[in-house]
């Protein structure tokens, strides 16, 4: 029997090989490696896709967060509210600009920041909320925007896992004061290398982000301040332009895979992803929960099925944040879920017969009898 991989980026490339190869050849023949028309074009297309005014390409999703925080005027000593479960980049960017990540436990149903716990974490130093649309499901943006307005906080959305997702009809990345995307190859819109994007409707923030990402430049050798070098390159931009044209279709295919899992999987013994009404999930990951997660993963692996864990140690409990001395009882939901979450194979081209096989194997493994 075939092995079932966790993702298969080659399957996607085979589908669009001609378009991609043509795009790459064009960049090389025009030697448009840094800046240039392919980057301009993708920035415009991405802004148009979101219906937002400004999109600024940069080196990767982590840089995008860091540059956006700086462009928003975050300073040393500011506190940023960050969900307790995410990839470390979210909180890493906060520390990188000298601010302090303040973790907020997650909602047990959605895995995103629990909006009911935000107010209790706000202090006079709090400047911003950084919601993460984890696994492809939007965080509760209406409630977050309302809280932010009431407490005069900024909102920076981390959309690394949710390109094209919606909440109440509105796309993720268009709710906050700014938002950041990652184009890491495995993301829903992935480059063939690193890439990131900062988006905003605020002209001053956009101009600042643009300058920070390009050495504080206002002219070729005229630098207003010390910035950094974090640019989206021409090859990645050209590849992303091709892939953006397929994104909506790929998200639909991810949802078809997810629907199949949801119909097939045993709801009695497994906790399955929840899709709240008015939310459009783009299933970057399909995550189930079970108390014997490691055992299930091992049994699937013995049958040739690859799985993942996102993430095995929630942010407050990483060695990197030992200094905060967090206890499991400070973040009970994140602490429980980090031991129970299991990500199943998920990519647009995943054959439905394979989904069925994964579901059958998992149902058998999760059955206590
Ligand atoms: C992938 C990811 C990032 C960082 O993106 P890179 O492009 O790898 O730097 C940030 N936040 C979240 C939630 C991510 O999943």
């Amino acid at each position: 029997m075939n092995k079932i991989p966790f993702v298969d980026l080659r399957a996607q490339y085979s589908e669009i090989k001609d378009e991609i190869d043509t795009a790459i050849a064009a960049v090389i023949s025009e030697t448009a490696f840094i800046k240039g028309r392919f980057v301009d074009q993708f920035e415009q297309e991405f802004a148009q896709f979101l219906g937002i005014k400004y999109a600024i390409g940069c080196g990767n999703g982590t840089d995008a967060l860091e540059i956006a925080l700086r462009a928003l005027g975050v300073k040393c000593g500011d506190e940023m509210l960050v969900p307790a479960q995410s990839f470390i980049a979210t909180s890493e960017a906060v520390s990188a600009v000298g601010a302090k990540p303040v973790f907020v436990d997650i909602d047990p149903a959605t895995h995103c920041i629990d909006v009911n716990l935000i107010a209790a974490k706000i202090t006079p130093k709090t400047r911003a909320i950084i919601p993460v649309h984890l696994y492809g499901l939007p965080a509760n943006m209406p409630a977050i925007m309302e809280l932010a307005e009431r407490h005069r906080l900024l909102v920076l959305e981390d959309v690394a896992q949710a390109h094209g997702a919606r909440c109440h009809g509105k796309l993720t990345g268009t709710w906050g004061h700014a938002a950041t995307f990652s184009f890491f190859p495995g993301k829903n819109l992935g480059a063939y290398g690193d890439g990131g994007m900062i988006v905003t409707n605020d002209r001053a923030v956009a101009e600042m982000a643009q300058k920070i990402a390009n050495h504080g430049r206002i002219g070729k050798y005229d630098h207003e301040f010390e910035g950094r070098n974090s640019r989206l390159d021409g090859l990645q931009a050209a590849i992303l332009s091709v892939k953006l044209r397929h994104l909506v279709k790929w998200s639909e295919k991810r949802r078809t895979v997810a629907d199949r899992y949801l119909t097939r999987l045993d709801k009695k013994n497994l906790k399955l992803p929840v899709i709240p009404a008015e939310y459009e999930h783009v299933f970057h990951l399909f995550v189930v929960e079970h108390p014997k997660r490691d055992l299930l993963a091992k049994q699937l692996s013995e049958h040739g099925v690859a799985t993942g864990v996102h993430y095995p140690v929630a942010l407050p409990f990483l060695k990197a944040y030992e200094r905060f001395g967090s206890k499991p009882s400070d973040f009970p939901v994140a602490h429980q879920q980090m031991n129970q979450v299991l990500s199943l194979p998920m990519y647009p081209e995943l054959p439905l017969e394979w989904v069925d096989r994964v579901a059958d194997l998992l149902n058998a493994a999760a059955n206590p009898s």
Side-chain angles (χ1 to χ4, degrees):
M1 274 222 263
N2 283 322
K3 284 198 185 255
I4 302 184
F6 185 62
V7 285
D8 183 355
L9 298 180
R10 191 188 289 264
Q12 190 179 73
Y13 173 59
S14 337
E15 182 198 331
I16 54 170
K17 184 176 186 311
D18 292 346
E19 284 174 90
I20 291 280
D21 293 355
T22 306
I24 291 175
V27 177
I28 298 173
S29 73
E30 292 181 34
T31 65
F33 300 123
I34 302 291
K35 297 274 172 200
R37 78 171 176 100
F38 296 95
V39 174
D40 293 345
Q41 188 180 324
F42 177 62
E43 286 175 341
Q44 274 169 32
E45 289 167 354
F46 198 69
Q48 202 166 28
F49 167 73
L50 290 178
I52 206 160
K53 284 197 192 134
Y54 308 102
I56 300 109
C58 65
N60 55 66
T62 310
D63 281 4
L65 283 163
E66 204 178 310
I67 292 164
L69 286 170
R70 278 226 265 160
L72 287 167
V74 169
K75 300 178 311 294
C76 268
D78 287 347
E79 294 177 358
M80 308 280 124
L81 302 180
V82 174
Q85 184 58 292
S86 181
F87 180 58
I88 191 174
T90 315
S91 46
E92 206 175 25
V94 171
S95 306
V97 301
K100 179 185 172 191
V102 173
F103 299 113
V104 179
D105 206 1
I106 54 172
D107 180 308
T110 65
H111 307 266
C112 292
I113 192 165
D114 187 335
V115 294
N116 297 313
L117 302 177
I118 291 177
K121 298 267 175 161
I122 297 174
T123 74
K125 290 184 179 167
T126 311
R127 280 296 302 285
I129 307 172
I130 311 185
V132 179
H133 308 301
L134 202 68
Y135 310 150
L137 179 70
N140 184 348
M141 291 314 294
I144 290 168
M145 295 314 295
E146 208 254 326
L147 270 163
E149 205 159 304
R150 188 155 11 112
H151 297 274
R152 300 184 178 280
L153 302 176
L154 295 166
V155 174
L156 173 62
E157 293 173 74
D158 180 346
V159 204
Q161 302 192 359
H163 316 65
R166 286 171 199 267
C167 164
H168 297 269
K170 195 168 157 61
L171 283 161
T172 49
T174 65
W175 289 81
H177 299 91
T180 62
F181 289 82
S182 163
F183 304 122
F184 179 82
K187 301 286 159 91
N188 286 29
L189 181 60
Y192 290 171
D194 276 312
M197 189 79 89
I198 301 144
V199 304
T200 180
N201 278 317
D202 185 321
R203 185 175 174 159
V205 171
E207 283 175 356
M208 193 61 184
Q210 176 96 55
K211 281 188 250 178
I212 294 169
N214 192 19
H215 302 291
R217 263 203 177 101
I218 45 175
K220 190 166 188 207
Y221 295 114
D222 195 0
H223 305 269
E224 189 180 309
F225 54 85
E226 289 176 326
R228 58 192 287 175
N229 177 2
S230 182
R231 295 177 298 224
L232 182 64
D233 69 72
L235 283 169
Q236 302 310 334
I239 288 162
L240 288 164
S241 279
V242 169
K243 293 181 78 174
L244 181 59
R245 300 199 282 267
H246 298 272
L247 181 62
V248 169
K249 172 190 69 193
W250 287 335
S251 298
E252 270 159 26
K253 287 182 149 191
R254 285 176 183 274
R255 279 195 286 271
T256 304
V257 168
D259 282 345
R260 186 74 159 223
Y261 272 132
L262 289 168
T263 347
R264 283 277 181 146
L265 286 171
D266 174 1
K267 293 167 199 59
K268 269 206 324 286
N269 295 314
L270 292 159
K271 191 167 160 235
L272 303 182
V274 167
I275 312 166
E278 304 279 332
Y279 281 60
E280 223 174 285
H281 202 318
V282 290
F283 287 100
H284 173 55
L285 296 168
F286 188 93
V287 176
V288 300
E289 285 170 71
H290 189 279
K292 297 207 173 110
R293 185 263 319 279
D294 292 334
L295 190 68
L296 302 196
K298 185 165 159 278
Q299 293 189 4
L300 286 173
S301 157
E302 282 164 8
H303 287 91
V305 176
T307 56
V309 173
H310 301 85
Y311 297 88
V313 183
L315 297 176
F317 309 113
L318 289 170
K319 188 157 193 329
Y321 298 114
E322 231 172 26
R323 63 183 184 279
F324 298 137
S326 302
K327 296 185 299 296
S329 57
D330 298 334
F331 304 96
V333 179
H335 192 269
Q336 186 189 50
Q337 291 197 345
M338 72 191 210
N339 294 313
Q340 303 205 349
V341 286
L342 181 67
S343 308
L344 304 184
M346 168 55 79
Y347 52 94
E349 302 78 14
L350 182 63
L352 294 179
E353 311 84 78
W354 289 10
V355 175
D356 293 347
R357 211 168 95 210
V358 175
D360 291 346
L361 287 166
L362 190 59
N363 287 342
N367 193 327
S369 56

